[in-house]
Amino acid sequence: MTDTTLTAPRGNPALDLLRRYGIWVIALIVMLVLPKIFTSGAALTTMCLMGIMIVFSLAYNMLLGQTGMLSFGHAVYYGLGGFLAVHAMNVISAGKLPIPLPVVPLVGGLMGLIFGFIFGAVSTRRAGTVFAMISLGLGELIASLSLILRGFFGGEEGINANRTKMLSLWGVRFGPQIEVYYLIASWCFVCMIAMYAFTRTPLGRMCNAVRDNPERAEFVGYSTQMVRFITFCISGFFAGIAGGLAAINFELMNAVNISGAQSGSVLLMAYIGGIGHFMGPVLGAVLVVLLQVFLSDLTGAWMLYFGLIFIMMVMFAPGGIAGLIMLHLPLWQRGTLLQIVPAYAVMLVPALMGVAGAVALIETAHHQLVKTGTEGPAMKLFGIAYNSNTVLPWIVALALIGGGVVLGKLWGPHMADAYSNAAHGKEASK
């Protein structure tokens, strides 16, 4: 996993300090300022969900991106942490435990750590496909138990709690969403620093070695199984904290939080953002939450778009969003980034054609399959009203997709040349 914090060259100590820690100061300022800009209840709820998912996706990437362990069941630790946290909230509300609400996420983290220890002792004995299959089996096992052990999981209804009935901290009862936001943002910031610090430790470096070349790691005297096990436990701890934050935010935990869909969602967040960079899962969590919240309001086929974005990222940008950003960092440092803007602007035309065609095709098909029976064949897209029963919309959509693909293939080599010239032009000319 690549460090996205700029490495400070030796020189001015103040400048070195700013370069080393400036990104964290910026992140803290952004977290503090965002609620002042986006003040609506929906925006605060969305930002709370982003903070929770950032912690969860970074915890997941400790396995996938840092240690090379593909897990299909990491929602187990997120969900179990959330369920124990919501039970703890109910116990505290009954006056049986004098614990303030901000400490509750640690209860979830403890649950994630315990089950990470138990399940990790079994699953981390193997790596690769075997580990992935074991994680899938454990995930399905716990998900099925969530509907059987109704006393702990609450069945389909789940377990709810009331955070306002808990002990107040300095007069703050965490009733308004803005107070919950700052609580989640604080935990998110602390967890981000802690997980980043882990990547800088010898164990964190050894995780990269186990991911890249486990045979060599064993040759130099390290137990790859122990490295995977310790990382798995730590990852479960942070996933449990994310679950505890979710319990505080929603005041409800149910079977969905521990399901395979939740495990798949965090996998998509990490991969779309970029598993090879620390900030990748952060970007992925923000983007996926935005898509889940806003795209679902625009179309009923939002899950299809979600899947297509994932497929496109895997095929054309396996490094994720962070990988694309880091690809252009050398150009920024060389001062040649603007040289590729014209080539990218031209490529934008076939890209928009392809996207418009794909959207038209999906929405027309969705209308035909889902809405025609109740709303009739007439529909409106991009401000244009048309009949989905006619052939013309399908021809136009396919023509846009085909035209975008052809023009993209024709212009692709020119764009690659523009990037190469911007990246290596000076060396090539010497």
Side-chain angles (χ1 to χ4, degrees), residues 8-349:
R10 297 179 183 276
N12 189 325
L15 189 59
D16 293 349
L17 198 64
L18 179 63
R19 288 179 175 173
R20 187 177 295 275
Y21 300 109
I23 191 169
W24 296 108
V25 176
I26 293 172
L28 180 60
I29 293 172
V30 168
M31 287 181 175
L32 293 174
V33 170
L34 275 179
K36 307 296 183 184
I37 301 173
F38 304 100
T39 57
S40 68
L44 290 175
T45 302
T46 303
M47 289 187 290
C48 286
L49 188 55
M50 284 179 184
I52 295 167
M53 289 300 113
I54 285 173
V55 177
F56 189 24
S57 57
L58 281 174
Y60 179 76
N61 205 45
M62 292 177 76
L63 296 183
L64 180 59
Q66 193 167 359
T67 319
M69 294 189 289
L70 175 61
S71 172
F72 291 118
H74 213 56
V76 167
Y77 315 98
Y78 170 84
L80 288 175
F83 273 104
L84 187 63
V86 81
H87 280 293
M89 290 170 66
N90 287 328
V91 172
I92 295 168
S93 300
K96 298 178 181 177
L97 281 177
I99 299 176
L101 186 68
V103 183
V104 169
L106 276 180
V107 177
L110 181 62
M111 188 72 162
L113 178 63
I114 292 172
F115 277 88
F117 182 88
I118 296 171
F119 293 153
V122 178
S123 59
T124 58
R125 292 179 181 274
R126 297 289 184 272
T129 306
V130 177
F131 170 81
M133 293 300 103
I134 293 174
S135 70
L136 178 62
L138 290 172
E140 291 302 311
L141 173 69
I142 299 300
S144 61
L145 285 176
S146 66
L147 299 176
I148 298 172
L149 302 177
R150 301 179 65 87
F152 183 77
F153 294 104
E156 294 180 354
E157 295 82 10
I159 303 292
N160 55 27
N162 188 342
R163 62 176 180 252
T164 61
K165 292 184 178 179
M166 300 182 64
L167 291 176
S168 63
L169 183 66
W170 299 311
V172 179
R173 304 198 67 86
F174 298 98
Q177 192 65 32
I178 185 67
E179 294 176 356
V180 178
Y181 166 80
Y182 281 116
L183 173 62
I184 292 174
S186 301
W187 270 104
C188 179
F189 188 70
V190 170
C191 289
M192 286 175 65
I193 291 178
M195 284 187 271
Y196 177 75
F198 176 77
T199 67
R200 311 294 292 176
T201 62
L203 176 60
R205 300 295 191 190
M206 190 49 59
C207 290
N208 297 151
V210 169
R211 175 198 62 195
D212 296 334
N213 196 333
E215 291 81 9
R216 188 166 186 175
E218 286 189 348
F219 181 76
V220 298
Y222 287 91
S223 167
T224 56
Q225 190 270 328
M226 184 56 66
V227 172
R228 289 194 298 268
F229 173 67
I230 294 174
T231 307
F232 193 91
C233 293
I234 297 174
S235 177
F237 172 73
F238 284 108
I241 287 180
L245 292 173
I248 293 173
N249 185 50
F250 299 115
E251 300 175 286
L252 171 69
M253 292 298 290
N254 55 33
V256 175
N257 299 113
I258 210 166
S259 65
Q262 188 69 59
S263 296
S265 180
V266 73
L267 169 61
L268 296 184
M269 289 177 193
Y271 213 98
I272 289 175
I275 61 173
H277 304 274
F278 181 80
M279 293 304 292
V282 177
L283 299 174
V286 172
L287 176 64
V288 170
V289 169
L290 285 175
L291 288 176
Q292 288 176 336
V293 172
F294 295 108
L295 194 59
S296 59
D297 290 337
L298 297 176
T299 173
W302 67 275
M303 285 295 290
L304 184 56
Y305 291 103
F306 198 48
L308 287 175
I309 291 172
F310 177 69
I311 293 172
M312 297 296 286
M313 292 299 291
V314 172
M315 291 180 63
F316 300 109
I321 299 171
L324 291 175
I325 294 173
M326 296 305 293
L327 186 67
H328 294 83
L329 185 59
L331 307 188
W332 171 266
Q333 293 172 337
R334 290 172 60 94
T336 57
L337 186 61
L338 293 179
Q339 292 183 14
I340 60 173
V341 172
Y344 281 16
V346 175
M347 180 57 84
L348 193 61
V349 175

